[in-house]
Amino acid sequence: MSAHKTLKLIGFVSIAISLSFGALFASAQEKFGFGKPAHPDEIARYNSDIHTDGSGLPDGSGDVALGAEIYEYQCALCHGEELEGVPEMGANSLHEGRRDIKKLPYASSLFDFIRRAMPLTDPGTLSNDETYGLVAFLLNETGVIKDDNLTLDAKSLAAIKMPNRQNFIIDPASRFTAEDLQ
Amino acid sequence: MTQVNKTNRRRFLQASLASSAALLAKPASAQEVVLQPARSTGRTIFEAGEYGMPSEFATGSRLIGSANGLHGGARTPLSESHGIITPSGLHFEVHHGGVPDIPPHEHKLLIHGMVDNPKIFTMEDIMRFPSVSRIHFLECSGNGEQEWSSPSSPTTTVQQSHGLTSCSEWTGVPLKMVLDELGIKTEAKWLLAEGDDSSRMGRSIPMWKVIDDAFLVYAQNGEFLRPEQGFPLRLLVPGFEGNMNVKWLHRLELSDKPWWTHQEVARYSDPRPNGKKVVFSFYMDAKSVITSPSSTMTLNGPGFYEITGIAWSGRGKVAKVDVSTDGGATWQEANLQTPIFNKAHTRFRLPWMWDGKEATLQSRTTDDTGYVQPNYEQLYALQSPIGMMHNHAIQSWRVQQDGTVINVHHV
């Protein structure tokens, strides 16, 4: 059988399969019925992500001093005392290049990532206060917000306008529109 | 244990018989043909084990790169790969927080957000859905990043420069079919896919792509996924950058807007020459590379050689691969291995008589959307050299007069 015929046959079989599903269910409302309903409490246990408008940010607050303390014993080993990065530990500078904190479009991305994935060997162990404190420390340290007394919570973090925000664009070669991104 | 003892005893007996036969044998006359003795029995069937392993003489292994063992990955040995399928054990990997091995009976997939009925699926639930198998490449968008500005080294191999792409047959369930069980709200435009590794890696995926061809995958190349590939469940977003094909998939959330996760804004975004940074540049554009002859190989004198390699495109099928042996001055169309699959590695081959003179080998693919793989000069106009992601420029290998092959940039 030629490759062309094989492909034609595959095409025919996939049409046949989709038709058979049409016949499987009497109406569009009918379902396979697999899976269990997710209880709101269960969703809440996993739903940790944060949107750019700050929705999803948890209660709590933290300041630069708390962040500096946490940074010293949880982060500096890999990210360096001055945020310069320790390549032997696998961490690049947070002052320049792709990990440059100043260049992030939203502070929410930073909070979300630290809470989600850091510290590398023990992620998910930082409290909300500690995470807010770390974001405050990092923004102060990188000069985004020069304020040694900066304290962040859900409201103040959501209000931060990162200086590089306007330099982020969507890929003109892709099919996205500005409306997709809002 | 008994079997092993029996085997050893038999071997001893055979050896004794052989040596007594040798003592009795007379010298062979000039006319007598001495048959080549048969090979010894080799390892027993029991020794071969319950999961077959490659020959100890077979070459081709992954190249591992990681500073801390938790973040980093491994590259596919492309110059020692054949055809279009990458064996699961040689598939490239990139990890962000180690490699969990999750018991499937404990694994659950939560789907919530802009759906009518949020649900939790067990692996048993997911495997009850009608299944599909498709052949697709997977490529890290950082593949080739160290080659952006200049060749990293003349001795950089194709495994080092291009080894973050692999191609497998994947089996699973179309994601649309699962989402239809929950009812997708019309305002849902984006999907967050989150992994259950320690880093809870998350990426935003546009719903049109989800509906088009994304699927939940539990098997690769005829067997269950390897832990390194996301066992027991991963997402496949065919043709989009590897990072979005979230492994150990445990949560999907539908929303009207993307999340701008750290992965998206700090790592997988592309600086442009004008200082702007492009986010959500998901497509892996048409790309090809010659895997043989390639850097660090040596041609053993003038004569016939097959030029072969792979081509792929995240936007569709490979339509054509052109090969040049003179640095892009002239091109010849290579033979493509059929059937050609959508968003899959496509093997190309071209017979070549090497005249013993210096030659610069290049391959250039065109996909079925008409997109032509750019050279470095063309790529620099599109993307900033500091960007490093989505390097899909034409690769050049220079065959030197002594037959050695090196990695060069040749626009």
Side-chain angles (χ1 to χ4, degrees):
Chain A
M1 193 186 287
S2 75
H4 180 69
K5 274 186 185 162
T6 311
L7 285 177
K8 231 170 135 182
L9 186 63
I10 291 168
F12 174 74
V13 170
S14 38
I15 291 165
I17 288 171
S18 47
L19 284 177
S20 71
F21 284 123
L24 192 62
F25 300 127
S27 75
Q29 283 72 43
E30 221 172 316
K31 313 273 185 196
F32 289 99
F34 304 152
K36 288 199 178 86
H39 191 272
D41 292 347
E42 191 143 20
I43 296 173
R45 277 204 293 139
Y46 289 97
N47 187 13
S48 69
D49 55 84
I50 294 150
H51 276 288
T52 53
D53 61 4
S55 62
L57 280 169
D59 293 339
S61 71
D63 60 10
V64 171
L66 174 64
E69 194 187 318
I70 302 297
Y71 185 88
E72 180 62 30
Y73 71 84
Q74 292 275 31
C75 320
L77 182 67
C78 297
H79 290 286
E81 292 291 331
E82 307 292 329
L83 282 62
E84 76 279 15
V86 183
E88 307 83 70
M89 300 298 288
N92 295 326
S93 172
L94 298 173
H95 288 295
E96 58 187 20
R98 277 187 282 172
R99 309 292 196 275
D100 190 343
I101 285 176
K102 297 186 294 297
K103 297 286 174 64
L104 291 175
Y106 296 104
S108 61
S109 307
L110 191 54
F111 187 98
D112 180 88
F113 180 71
I114 293 171
R115 188 161 76 146
R116 177 184 293 277
M118 289 291 128
L120 182 67
T121 52
D122 213 4
T125 55
L126 297 171
S127 70
N128 294 339
D129 289 356
E130 289 168 340
T131 311
Y132 279 117
L134 271 175
V135 174
F137 167 76
L138 292 170
L139 294 180
N140 180 53
E141 202 70 10
T142 52
V144 176
I145 302 174
K146 287 178 190 137
D147 177 3
D148 291 344
N149 299 312
L150 178 66
T151 303
L152 290 177
D153 60 10
K155 200 168 165 233
S156 51
L157 191 144
I160 294 170
K161 298 264 182 278
M162 294 295 279
N164 198 40
R165 169 67 194 96
Q166 74 284 357
N167 283 326
F168 277 77
I169 54 168
I170 56 167
D171 184 4
S174 79
R175 284 195 268 163
F176 301 110
T177 64
E179 291 76 54
D180 280 330
L181 294 165
Q182 297 187 341
Chain B
M1 203 62 203
T2 323
Q3 295 300 343
V4 172
N5 287 341
K6 268 186 191 166
T7 309
N8 288 343
R9 193 164 151 261
R10 191 177 303 152
R11 274 190 182 163
F12 171 74
L13 286 173
Q14 282 170 346
S16 323
L17 285 170
S19 49
S20 24
L23 286 173
L24 294 170
K26 289 174 183 167
S29 70
Q31 289 77 25
E32 211 174 330
V33 175
V34 180
L35 290 176
Q36 173 73 20
R39 188 174 300 285
S40 70
T41 54
R43 65 185 179 189
T44 66
I45 293 158
F46 307 106
E47 283 169 298
E50 284 157 336
Y51 194 97
M53 297 297 286
S55 161
E56 63 174 299
F57 308 111
T59 53
S61 52
R62 292 177 307 166
L63 182 69
I64 297 165
S66 174
N68 49 42
L70 297 176
H71 183 246
R75 290 162 187 269
T76 296
L78 293 179
S79 63
E80 286 149 310
S81 299
H82 306 272
I84 62 167
I85 296 294
T86 311
S88 302
L90 295 177
H91 199 285
F92 88 86
E93 305 164 16
V94 177
H95 306 295
H96 301 87
V99 183
D101 193 3
I102 301 170
H105 61 273
E106 287 176 14
H107 191 73
K108 291 186 176 69
L109 175 66
L110 166 65
I111 309 179
H112 67 109
M114 288 182 171
V115 292
D116 296 330
N117 302 297
K119 275 194 164 187
I120 294 173
F121 295 91
T122 62
M123 284 307 299
E124 207 175 316
D125 293 329
I126 287 162
M127 293 184 68
R128 278 187 70 190
F129 282 99
S131 60
V132 291
S133 292
R134 297 182 197 145
I135 293 173
H136 288 304
F137 79 88
L138 200 58
E139 184 187 15
C140 176
S141 58
N143 199 18
E145 62 179 321
Q146 69 281 18
E147 305 300 310
W148 252 111
S149 311
S150 57
S152 56
S153 158
T155 57
T156 296
T157 64
V158 67
Q159 181 171 20
Q160 290 167 317
S161 64
H162 288 73
L164 295 177
T165 187
S166 305
C167 186
S168 293
E169 182 198 73
W170 307 95
T171 300
V173 186
L175 184 48
K176 182 187 181 298
M177 189 182 279
V178 178
L179 292 176
D180 281 345
E181 285 290 292
L182 292 76
I184 305 168
K185 288 191 190 294
T186 47
E187 55 275 35
K189 295 282 179 261
W190 289 84
L191 175 89
L192 178 77
E194 186 182 84
D196 194 19
D197 60 331
S198 78
S199 77
R200 290 221 168 141
M201 233 281 302
R203 287 294 303 261
S204 310
I205 300 158
M207 280 302 291
W208 60 258
K209 178 63 178 177
V210 170
I211 301 298
D212 183 22
D213 64 353
F215 61 129
L216 303 175
V217 165
Y218 46 77
Q220 177 185 10
N221 295 333
E223 60 182 358
F224 284 108
L225 288 170
R226 300 284 173 94
E228 295 80 6
Q229 295 303 322
F231 181 83
L233 189 68
R234 82 174 306 164
L235 184 64
L236 215 80
V237 194
F240 276 21
E241 57 188 10
N243 184 255
M244 302 173 73
N245 297 261
V246 175
K247 298 182 282 193
W248 314 288
L249 185 73
H250 81 148
R251 188 166 75 94
L252 297 169
E253 183 178 355
L254 283 73
S255 173
D256 56 352
K257 48 190 184 293
W259 279 260
W260 297 72
T261 68
H262 187 265
Q263 294 285 334
E264 287 155 5
V265 297
R267 300 177 188 211
Y268 296 96
S269 48
D270 309 325
R272 287 286 154 96
N274 61 4
K276 301 278 184 187
K277 206 171 184 189
V278 172
V279 280
F280 309 121
S281 61
F282 298 146
Y283 281 106
M284 299 308 296
D285 291 308
K287 184 169 174 180
S288 69
V289 66
I290 294 168
T291 54
S292 180
S294 61
S295 171
T296 71
M297 292 180 178
T298 303
L299 304 190
N300 189 20
F304 174 79
Y305 293 92
E306 180 178 73
I307 297 175
T308 183
I310 45 171
W312 63 99
S313 168
R315 294 180 193 262
K317 287 184 184 179
V318 166
K320 192 167 80 133
V321 177
D322 296 310
V323 169
S324 175
T325 57
D326 53 13
T330 60
W331 296 90
Q332 290 179 78
E333 198 167 337
N335 303 312
L336 302 184
Q337 178 178 312
T338 55
I340 297 165
F341 295 97
N342 189 28
K343 299 161 192 167
H345 280 180
T346 302
R347 172 67 54 178
F348 64 86
R349 300 176 171 100
L350 185 76
W352 179 46
M353 290 300 288
W354 181 44
D355 58 10
K357 293 181 186 145
E358 183 181 283
T360 303
L361 309 184
Q362 297 183 331
S363 65
R364 178 186 68 191
T365 188
T366 306
D367 71 16
D368 63 359
T369 71
Y371 187 93
V372 182
Q373 183 183 5
N375 61 30
Y376 271 107
E377 205 167 71
Q378 293 163 325
L379 189 67
Y380 292 157
L382 296 170
Q383 281 178 240
S384 163
I386 62 158
M388 302 191 289
M389 306 307 250
H390 292 270
N391 180 358
H392 59 296
I394 291 170
Q395 169 67 38
S396 304
W397 306 120
R398 179 158 301 144
V399 180
Q400 303 179 113
Q401 280 196 7
D402 64 357
T404 55
V405 186
I406 57 168
N407 171 36
V408 296
H409 267 204
H410 186 98
V411 176

